[in-house]
Amino acid sequence: MLRLHNFIRPAFRSRRWAHNIPTFSHLNSVNEEDIAHFSSILAPTSILSTLSSVSTPADDIAPYNVDWMGKYHGQANSVLRPRTTQQVSEIVKYCAQRKIGIVPQGGNTGLVGGGISLQKEIVLSLGAMNNVRSFDPVSGVLVADAGCILQSLSEYIAPHNHIMPLDLGAKGSCQIGGNISTNAGGLRLLRYGSLHGTVLGLEVVLPDGTILDQLSTLRKDNTGYDLKQLFIGGEGTLGIVTGVSILTPPAPQATNNIFLALPRFDNVLPLFQTVKRQLGEIMSAFEYIDRTAYDMGLQHGLGPLLSADEVGDSQCFVLVETSGGNQDHDLEKLNNLLESLLTADEPLINTGVLSQSPTQFNSIWALREGLTECVQKEGKPYKYDVSVPLADFQNVVDAVRERMISKGLYGDHAISKVMGYGHVGDGNLHLNVIAKHGYRPELEAALEPFIYEIVAERKGSVSAEHGIGSMKRDALHYSKSEISIEWMRKVKQVFDPLNIMNPGKVLP
Ligand code: FAD
Ligand code: MLT
Ligand code: ZN
């Protein structure tokens, strides 16, 4: 077991840390003439602008200028909502010529400020491009506009007994183009892998307006460099994703879940090994919730899945989902697992519950998926989605709490809660630090780069799934070498030499 002091090493203290606010002297603001030009491309209803020729009320622009957490505030005076790839291409061509910065925006559920303008860039919202182009129920290949909402796509393919290969709490608002641009992970990654594997093709408008049509539906295609991979997780810095071809798996015949209370964190790792061994191929999710996050969920009306007596002094919880082909077979495996866990000489769990109906199945998932919204109700969250070795999850959370205590910043006057939950099966911890009365520079200064340092020390990643955006630009070097960053810059230069595409994001 690693101790907290292991995280505080002088070597990382000396690393460069600066939060630079980028200035875009190379870019022009949008003016009346630009709006007149956009009016020749788009219908009047597709242009929102506070400039006098359109005079959209500021309240109508406001939602495009603030992120889901209320942490990032943009200054865009104009938002364009194209309906076709051709329109996107014409807009981008014009912006390149006029050197106007463009921020692609999907469902605006991103958690790192990637979809919010930094200066006066124009927001290009994909929300009006929301048609399914084709679905092949035999191969499971779905081709859709980038602005389709993830949940709508799930509903579209459900009657064909297929599911989307990704699922996340933001499914009702996030768009498939946003998912791809952030390389979203979510709750099904353990089973179906990342979008780098399930995305078969993309249609992208490049920063000079060229349409790159790589909307392949082929499972196998080894014809040279796989350019689409650059846009998966590209966070809108290399081009605008307008169309997506994605492989959707057949819906599992049987899904079940269990919720387990563990006496201590040290049991999570052996439990993961036991569960993997006993459930084998039917295990489809293994999610972690610490006690602070569980109690917070209960306070905000999630659960309770177990009685207070059953939970006792359990330190943490695990949700296991199975997806298989035969309900009786899967239930037998789950029952055997629970029985062996509860009757072991030194049980790894205090207690557990197995869902007995679709309603119970959903309420077990609701507890895990609802945490993000609860965090939001608690105050203003500093959210860190890190990859660290599973054995270090709790140490990282404890180290951050200790740090805030030692600085006199822990309590209702400053940071009221530090908690962890996440995708244990993927090595991804969601560290959430709640500022009860709002974001304050001294709180951020106490948290960053401290958290990035302890992640780097564990050879982890400062972003497991939410991306870099504007939040972690200056922390990129904690997870990427100077050479990697240099080559990332070269790639950006090749695609976007004018630096108009989501400027100030991802790259330091
Ligand atoms: P936006 O927030 O609009 O944009 C995100 C980034 O992608 C920005 O940089 C933007 O410029 C760029 N972008 C968007 N669309 C395009 C496009 N068409 N072309 C080029 N660039 C584009 N994330 C996870 O990975 N896993 C989770 O489990 C998860 N759960 C969440 C739960 C909640 C309740 C919330 C609020 C967020 C969650 N997120 C999660 C984060 C977020 O939902 C994902 O990052 C999601 O993929 C963002 O999609 P979006 O359409 O909202 O994109
Ligand atoms: C999750 O796994 O719940 C999401 O990534 C969102 C979050 O970090 O809260
Ligand atoms: Zn997540």
Side-chain angles (χ1 to χ4, degrees):
M1 171 85 178
L2 279 156
R3 302 263 169 253
L4 296 188
H5 64 258
N6 287 40
F7 287 109
I8 303 158
R9 287 235 194 102
F12 285 97
R13 290 262 164 268
S14 61
R15 290 185 80 157
R16 171 171 58 87
W17 178 250
H19 243 321
N20 302 315
I21 310 290
T23 49
F24 302 145
S25 50
H26 65 295
L27 295 177
N28 294 309
S29 302
V30 183
N31 62 29
E32 296 285 359
E33 271 179 44
D34 302 321
I35 294 295
H37 185 85
F38 294 135
S39 303
S40 70
I41 303 172
L42 300 171
T45 50
S46 302
I47 304 174
L48 286 74
S49 177
T50 51
L51 295 174
S52 60
S53 54
V54 181
S55 289
T56 306
D59 280 0
D60 293 358
I61 302 256
Y64 299 90
N65 267 328
V66 63
D67 72 316
W68 189 83
M69 296 176 292
K71 186 176 180 193
Y72 299 94
H73 297 269
Q75 300 176 38
N77 62 16
S78 306
V79 177
L80 304 180
R81 294 179 49 84
R83 294 191 165 274
T84 66
T85 303
Q86 195 55 41
Q87 288 177 342
V88 176
S89 164
E90 286 175 40
I91 292 165
V92 175
K93 247 181 221 153
Y94 178 79
C95 288
Q97 190 195 318
R98 266 275 295 139
K99 295 201 176 60
I100 293 172
I102 304 170
V103 179
Q105 196 177 88
N108 199 10
T109 66
L111 298 171
V112 292
I116 299 296
S117 78
L118 290 171
Q119 305 287 329
K120 290 250 162 80
E121 310 90 281
I122 203 159
V123 171
L124 193 146
S125 166
L126 278 297
M129 290 183 64
N130 55 6
N131 291 312
V132 170
R133 299 190 192 180
S134 65
F135 177 67
D136 177 359
V138 178
S139 64
V141 177
L142 171 72
V143 182
D145 286 351
C148 290
I149 305 273
L150 179 59
Q151 187 165 309
S152 321
L153 293 177
S154 297
E155 286 163 8
Y156 185 91
I157 60 179
H160 301 282
N161 286 319
H162 277 256
I163 59 169
M164 293 300 286
L166 79 163
D167 184 27
L168 43 149
K171 57 181 150 260
S173 307
C174 64
Q175 299 172 6
I176 191 69
N179 300 147
I180 283 162
S181 302
T182 54
N183 187 24
L187 307 162
R188 290 185 185 150
L189 188 134
L190 187 69
R191 164 54 67 89
Y192 299 110
S194 96
L195 290 166
H196 283 293
T198 49
V199 171
L200 300 180
L202 293 178
E203 177 189 82
V204 181
V205 173
L206 299 174
D208 65 355
T210 307
I211 300 171
L212 176 71
D213 183 351
Q214 294 207 333
L215 219 40
S216 165
T217 53
L218 304 174
R219 287 293 296 272
K220 298 182 79 174
D221 179 8
N222 271 355
T223 49
Y225 306 138
D226 190 359
L227 293 179
K228 71 172 182 290
Q229 300 297 351
L230 286 171
F231 304 99
I232 302 175
E235 299 186 53
T237 59
L238 299 178
I240 301 175
V241 176
T242 49
V244 176
S245 164
I246 189 165
L247 188 63
T248 70
Q253 300 293 303
T255 46
N256 296 285
N257 56 14
I258 51 176
F259 190 76
L260 307 172
L262 282 68
R264 37 184 185 278
F265 174 78
D266 291 356
N267 289 7
V268 177
L269 195 56
L271 180 71
F272 186 42
Q273 289 171 309
T274 305
V275 171
K276 266 200 293 190
R277 200 172 46 242
Q278 289 206 29
L279 294 181
E281 79 294 345
I282 66 169
M283 182 175 86
S284 52
F286 191 98
E287 294 282 320
Y288 170 73
I289 301 175
D290 77 9
R291 183 66 193 250
T292 312
Y294 178 83
D295 287 343
M296 174 197 68
L298 256 53
Q299 275 163 21
H300 291 283
L302 299 177
L305 302 173
L306 298 160
S307 71
D309 279 351
E310 286 171 312
V311 170
D313 59 0
S314 300
Q315 272 181 12
C316 59
F317 304 83
V318 161
L319 184 165
V320 181
E321 184 195 63
T322 61
S323 304
N326 182 309
Q327 180 70 351
D328 293 341
H329 163 269
D330 295 359
L331 271 182
E332 193 184 332
K333 272 189 150 183
L334 272 171
N335 278 317
N336 290 343
L337 170 71
L338 275 180
E339 197 181 319
S340 71
L341 287 173
L342 289 166
T343 57
D345 289 342
E346 288 180 36
L348 293 171
I349 63 169
N350 282 337
T351 183
V353 57
L354 166 65
S355 62
Q356 304 283 341
S357 66
T359 310
Q360 285 177 11
F361 176 87
N362 290 336
S363 56
I364 288 183
W365 265 121
L367 177 64
R368 167 62 187 88
E369 285 189 69
L371 292 175
T372 314
E373 301 230 8
C374 294
V375 161
Q376 200 64 22
K377 291 177 190 155
E378 282 281 318
K380 286 292 180 192
Y382 291 95
K383 294 177 79 70
Y384 302 91
D385 67 305
V386 300
S387 275
V388 285
L390 168 50
D392 288 342
F393 270 35
Q394 198 56 45
N395 279 329
V396 170
V397 176
D398 291 344
V400 173
R401 191 181 296 112
E402 290 297 325
R403 163 112 171 152
M404 300 319 272
I405 292 170
S406 73
K407 292 203 163 280
L409 293 173
Y410 193 72
D412 278 354
H413 64 292
I415 296 300
S416 53
K417 285 189 172 71
V418 179
M419 69 185 84
Y421 55 88
H423 318 288
V424 168
D426 312 323
N428 174 190
L429 168 70
H430 289 307
L431 166 65
N432 283 257
V433 183
I434 316 284
K436 185 146 180 137
H437 303 292
Y439 298 116
R440 276 165 29 199
E442 73 269 28
L443 300 178
E444 187 169 309
L447 295 167
E448 300 168 19
F450 176 78
I451 291 170
Y452 302 132
E453 287 169 354
I454 59 179
V455 169
E457 187 163 325
R458 309 317 312 149
K459 296 197 170 20
S461 169
V462 297
S463 174
E465 59 174 20
H466 297 159
I468 299 297
S470 55
M471 177 188 179
K472 290 173 246 168
R473 257 167 34 105
D474 297 309
L476 191 62
H477 67 279
Y478 286 100
S479 298
K480 285 262 190 291
S481 69
E482 286 302 329
I483 293 178
S484 303
I485 295 175
E486 192 187 319
W487 279 88
M488 284 169 71
R489 282 210 183 92
K490 287 182 187 176
V491 171
K492 169 76 174 171
Q493 174 69 20
V494 167
F495 279 89
D496 185 18
L498 299 173
N499 191 15
I500 60 164
M501 201 51 81
N502 216 358
K505 311 290 167 55
V506 180
L507 285 164

